[in-house]
Amino acid sequence: MLKGRSFLTLLDYTPEEIGYLIDLAAKLKAEKKQGIAHRHCAGKNIALVFEKTSTRTRCAFEVAAADLGMHPVYLDPKSSQIGKKESIADTARVLGRMFDGIEYRGFGQEIVEKLAKYAGVPVWNGLTNEFHPTQILADFLTIKEHFGKLKGINFVYMGDARYNMGNSLMVGCAKMGLNFTACAPEGYFPDKALIAKCEEAAKESGATLSFESDPEKALKNADVVYTDVWVSMGEPDEVWKERIDALLPYQVNSRMMALADENAVFMHCLPAYHNDETEVGKSVGEKFGLSALEVTEEVFEGPQSIVFDEAENRMHTIKAVMAATLADASLLN
């Protein structure tokens, strides 16, 4: 069904195709739990190109590849000459002749798009500045496991909605019929051109898109409360003060969760600065007098938090993407 396709952004996929990937992930997850082997891609080799490092993304791709019978080769930021000594197009054509698929995690969306244009094999977006589609599949599998559905779920994203997570969650919700609200200060909402594309998708799915600066209004009847770090990898230290000043009123704490539906869940794509037990959390906390940043400890560790179910599902959904785009037969039979 999807063999030979790249996975760069959910904008490229229909709701039916996204639903297929989520269902396939659920099937592969169940098989793994039952000890049923599913080596659908045995003998294949894949390249994992990481210009930005990651715990979850790397582990998810490597474990998923092994489960599918593939051999992954990891290229860290110092191991690849992509865009430095060798152009992206040249790198793509070399890797495409050696590997059956290529994962890219790094910077601009134009890089992964160019890799896909020239590689001749499926290319999977492990994260760019603009989009993070594998994370959204994991999020939606988790939501479906918890609520039994996606359509009609009231989904609120708290914080800075201008970049990959805000963009990708908005796209995914618009495609799959979830009611999406970005709750952020003015100037922290997604790009208007992307909003327009999502509004077209929402007309088809029945989703609603809202952009609200008042948390009390945004969180009313929310089923899912989602947030992400306020400063991304690679951004300068001076950005912290600007973001904290703007986003502290949008920190997900007990008071915020109390504004949502009583059965609401908390989600975060991780890593999360919910205490001072990381170098970054401790440093920023000492500098600004904060014990937590985008989410507090009581919410992160509380009964409404499903962040580790979500983290596990990265692997199952990434496995589904690779299997669907590399395997020779339909896998839901």
Side-chain angles (χ1 to χ4, degrees):
M1 176 176 162
L2 299 177
K3 187 178 180 184
R5 291 269 299 275
S6 287
F7 188 72
L8 309 180
T9 165
L10 293 180
L11 289 168
D12 299 335
Y13 278 67
T14 66
E16 293 74 23
E17 290 167 340
I18 297 167
Y20 171 80
L21 290 171
I22 294 169
D23 290 344
L24 177 57
K27 177 176 183 283
L28 295 173
K29 180 177 181 177
E31 289 177 352
K32 186 174 178 71
K33 300 291 185 185
Q34 296 164 31
I36 299 171
H38 38 260
R39 295 171 62 83
H40 300 300
C41 302
K44 296 186 184 296
N45 299 285
I46 61 168
L48 307 179
V49 181
F50 278 66
E51 291 197 289
K52 286 185 178 180
T53 57
S54 168
T55 302
R56 278 153 303 285
T57 303
R58 177 181 177 179
C59 292
F61 269 99
E62 290 196 355
V63 173
D67 284 354
L68 291 170
M70 296 193 289
H71 174 64
V73 174
Y74 175 69
L75 299 173
D76 66 22
K78 295 181 180 179
S79 300
S80 169
Q81 297 300 331
I82 183 170
K84 304 181 189 86
K85 293 182 178 179
E86 187 168 54
S87 72
I88 295 162
D90 290 356
T91 300
R93 286 176 286 190
V94 170
L95 295 180
R97 293 187 180 214
M98 297 181 181
F99 293 96
D100 298 288
I102 301 167
E103 180 272 350
Y104 173 81
R105 179 183 172 92
F107 298 96
Q109 181 73 10
E110 70 278 1
I111 299 173
V112 76
E113 299 277 354
K114 187 170 279 191
L115 282 172
K117 179 179 178 180
Y118 288 99
V121 297
V123 173
W124 310 297
N125 181 358
L127 173 141
T128 62
N129 294 339
E130 294 84 2
F131 294 107
H132 197 1
T134 59
Q135 179 66 54
I136 278 53
L137 290 183
D139 296 339
F140 283 8
L141 174 60
T142 310
I143 292 169
K144 193 171 182 181
E145 288 174 339
H146 192 84
F147 291 100
K149 65 176 184 176
L150 292 175
K151 199 172 183 66
I153 290 292
N154 296 320
F155 187 105
V156 180
Y157 180 81
M158 301 285 291
D160 191 344
R162 297 173 296 177
Y163 301 115
N164 48 33
M165 284 309 301
N167 289 344
S168 295
L169 287 166
M170 179 174 67
V171 172
C173 288
K175 291 263 186 178
M176 301 306 288
L178 293 81
N179 300 317
F180 175 81
T181 299
C183 184
E186 288 298 330
Y188 283 74
F189 293 118
D191 175 72
K192 289 183 179 179
L194 182 61
I195 291 174
K197 288 182 182 179
C198 290
E199 285 174 339
E200 288 301 310
K203 289 177 185 176
E204 299 293 323
S205 70
T208 61
L209 305 181
S210 304
F211 305 92
E212 179 59 65
S213 293
D214 182 347
E216 191 162 340
K217 292 179 181 177
L219 289 166
K220 185 178 181 181
N221 299 320
D223 298 306
V224 177
V225 181
Y226 198 114
T227 194
D228 188 16
V229 294
W230 292 339
V231 176
S232 298
M233 186 187 307
E235 293 189 273
D237 290 344
E238 54 266 25
V239 171
W240 278 107
K241 184 177 188 314
E242 170 209 322
R243 300 282 169 80
I244 288 172
D245 287 346
L247 297 171
L248 195 56
Y250 300 88
Q251 180 190 68
V252 181
N253 50 40
S254 296
R255 183 179 66 83
M256 292 292 191
M257 292 301 296
L259 295 172
D261 185 86
E262 63 179 357
N263 295 314
V265 297
F266 170 74
M267 300 180 72
H268 192 305
C269 54
L270 304 182
Y273 298 129
H274 55 98
N275 56 31
D276 61 1
E277 294 179 13
T278 63
E279 289 182 12
V280 173
K282 184 176 182 180
S283 172
V284 174
E286 288 174 350
K287 189 172 183 179
F288 294 97
L290 298 170
S291 59
L293 296 173
E294 74 278 1
V295 58
T296 57
E297 181 82 349
E298 70 265 23
V299 171
F300 187 87
E301 297 290 358
Q304 291 171 287
S305 176
I306 55 173
V307 297
F308 295 108
D309 294 338
E310 182 185 1
E312 178 191 342
N313 283 338
R314 288 298 306 284
M315 191 274 288
H316 303 299
T317 46
I318 281 170
K319 187 189 295 182
V321 169
M322 293 195 295
T325 55
L326 291 179
D328 293 323
S330 175
L331 301 174
L332 274 180
N333 296 335

